[in-house]
Amino acid sequence: MQQRTAPGGAPAPLAALTSELGVLYGGDWSPEQWDPAVWPEDVALMREAGVNLVTVGVFAWSSMEPEEGRLELGWLDTVLDHLHAGGVAVDLATPTASPPPWLAHRYPTSSAVDRSGVRMAVGSRNHFCPSSPDYRRAARGIAGALVERYGSHPAVRMWHIGNEFGQVCFCDLCADGFRRWLQVRHGSLDALNAAWGTAFWSQRYADWQEIVPPRVAPYIRNPGQSLDHRRFASDLLLGLYREQRDLVRAAAPGVPVTTNLMGFHPHTDDARWAPELDVVSEDHYPDPADPDGHLLQALQDDLARGIGGGRPWVQMEQAAGGVNWRPHNVPKTPARMRLDSLRAVARGSDASLFFQWRQSLAGAEKWHSALLPAAGPDTRLHRAVRAHGAELRRLRPVVGARVPAEVALVFDWSSWWAAQEPAAPSDRLDVLDLLREWYRPLHAANVTADVVPPWADLTPYRLVLAPQLHLVEDADVPGLRAVVERGDVLVLGPWSAALDGHGRLRPGRFPAPFTDLVGGSGEEYVPLAAPVAVEGVLGAHRVGDWAERLRTDGGEALLVARGGDLDGVPLVVTRRHASGGTGVYAGALLPPAATGALVAHAVAAAGVAPAAAGLPAGVEAVRRGPVLFLLNTTGGPVPLDGLGGRRDLLTDAVLGRRQVLEPDGVLALATSDAAGAGPGTAGPLDG
Ligand code: GAL
């Protein structure tokens, strides 16, 4: 994906900052919650911990503008000056995620309304309506004031617009915006009526004013309406982001502008947002109590890198210990905090930033961990924070470096949204579950994958896995087909390509645009009442929930159903082409062992190499530039042979022949080809 230059000016590279500071280390700091006497102590402690960047101002609007139009920024001047004098750079936030109470009090329609018409109250955060002209005027006002005052402040090295955009509002103002968005998308009511299939249930629209957002309704809503509303809601927020970004770019050219995305978050199409950010930033909160926590964080890291076209990204938020928003908040141990932080760096982040620097004493997040706990610096957690700051300084060799990946894992927000619509054959085909299950064997085998949208440039990848591309835009078909046509491997998962870009069924045998490539086709989706035995090249398994009535058309079957109504029906089909390329279609919700066999088959067919081979199970390996990271996710100590003579950048120690990697331990090994070879480094570690 090429980074586009937006009208507000040129994208500013992160490299200008990281080449000076190395890996960015720090997090959100909320000095407005503290007596100013605490600020110098904070800055001194930051320095001691190796913190080199803090995000300031995220939720400080009511401290910056206590009444409409009355700015109080003297305290922020002092804060920025302290930080600058202390050598800590600032990621300055526009505080627009949470307007002060005066806005809602004075302009009630500036607050969002939910599907059932209930207007959000003040007293929490993120209650604004993204369409409200009053909110937008006020947001532009405070953002503009900050930009004017601090645009050339030497401490401010990055800008952070709002926070975790994700509001969805169903008010009348948003309804108007939805109609305008639909007019641009569809051009005419006839086109909209055709796209949404409004002949069904007498839904035909004769006037744009008749259209409303998908509010509470008596029964199943029109899925085309819902899908377009999801897209609209993401675009509406993106417009808000752009407006402030362009203010910053005009006043502070060369300073990177970003906002923190939230991984697989349902309300923003992050793949479409990423090109609008100078650097992709992500908030990651893996649950240390979740056995899949490692896997899920790695997947989200690979998304951050993938949607940014492989560029280094910024881990903007993570927890140092526990969060406060799960029912039972198991804290990270210091070793786990370090492991998660280093995983992000290994997978392409040039930053390890946290929520937050100093634990709040009051408010809704007083039970959330911080780099500096309420108990103070004389704590195990804070000592670990200092130690981590020191070792991050030794990771300069990876700053700016790329993570080679030969595999693309395709994920698309529209497709996810369409697959989530109710009234489908089954609710057991969860897109994120499928993505996770197809990622699992890649992760276990240390095969690095970029998570990318279907419209990304797929030419760098030898293997393209699309676990469930339920909806496929016509415009994306050629790029996907080209994978096989140029000699690479494309694997489509169950229920793929069932819909067109409007969410309408694609008629004909499925997956209609790809049947020739995969050497087979289907005619019926079959939610299963009871498990079905399958066997073939991929082994013998039982398929529990979902199968598809396929047949081979010039291809071969990799798995065939045995017994029952599907007896003899191929469930996974493939075809190898003269180009050398291979297409595969898996028309079943496969159990983990079968998914593992399928992915292994595809990896072998594509000739993709892992980042490192011969490692004990549970040792995660990622190569970034001249460094091979090894992360112990097993929960126990792991003996590693063959590392003799290798240098670990984190400790600057040269390793002996037999190394024991402690639980949650990490090694950052300098590789011999420090210039960074091509993708993959299969072979013995000491080879
Ligand atoms: C994020 C948010 C932070 C803080 C954090 C707590 O979603 O951006 O402001 O609330 O969660 O985990």
Side-chain angles (χ1 to χ4, degrees), residues 392-466:
L392 284 176
R393 280 201 287 270
R394 293 195 280 271
L395 285 183
R396 270 189 180 264
V398 298
V399 170
R402 296 240 167 183
V403 176
E406 294 181 303
V407 179
L409 197 57
V410 176
F411 176 79
D412 178 55
W413 263 262
S414 280
S415 187
W416 182 29
W417 291 331
Q420 280 179 325
E421 282 298 310
S426 170
D427 66 1
R428 299 189 193 170
L429 284 160
D430 184 86
V431 174
L432 294 186
D433 286 355
L434 265 157
L435 190 73
R436 185 193 62 225
E437 290 311 311
W438 285 43
Y439 183 72
R440 190 185 298 280
L442 293 172
H443 184 252
N446 290 316
V447 171
T448 311
D450 290 339
V451 181
V452 299
W455 37 269
D457 175 9
L458 298 174
T459 53
Y461 303 106
R462 299 171 78 173
L463 171 60
V464 175
L465 297 170

Side-chain angles (χ1 to χ4, degrees), residues 59 125 163-164 260 283 285 317 323 325 355 365 368:
F59 289 108
R125 69 175 185 185
N163 193 66
E164 294 189 335
N260 43 346
D283 296 351
Y285 288 95
E317 286 183 25
V323 298
W325 39 262
F355 177 83
E365 289 179 333
H368 197 288

Side-chain angles (χ1 to χ4, degrees), residues 106-145:
R106 196 173 276 198
Y107 309 104
T109 59
S110 68
S111 296
V113 168
D114 75 4
R115 273 184 205 279
S116 52
V118 174
R119 200 172 285 282
M120 296 297 110
V122 297
S124 179
R125 69 175 185 185
N126 304 82
H127 53 276
F128 67 84
C129 161
S131 300
S132 155
D134 299 314
Y135 166 73
R136 294 185 79 125
R137 184 185 62 248
R140 268 195 313 274
I142 189 65

Side-chain angles (χ1 to χ4, degrees), residues 179-196 204-208 211 228 502:
R179 291 179 200 114
R180 286 193 297 275
W181 184 93
L182 290 170
Q183 283 170 7
V184 173
R185 174 168 172 80
H186 295 285
S188 70
L189 272 177
D190 283 348
L192 177 139
N193 280 311
W196 290 7
R204 195 176 168 77
Y205 295 102
D207 188 315
W208 292 100
I211 302 172
D228 272 351
H502 296 301

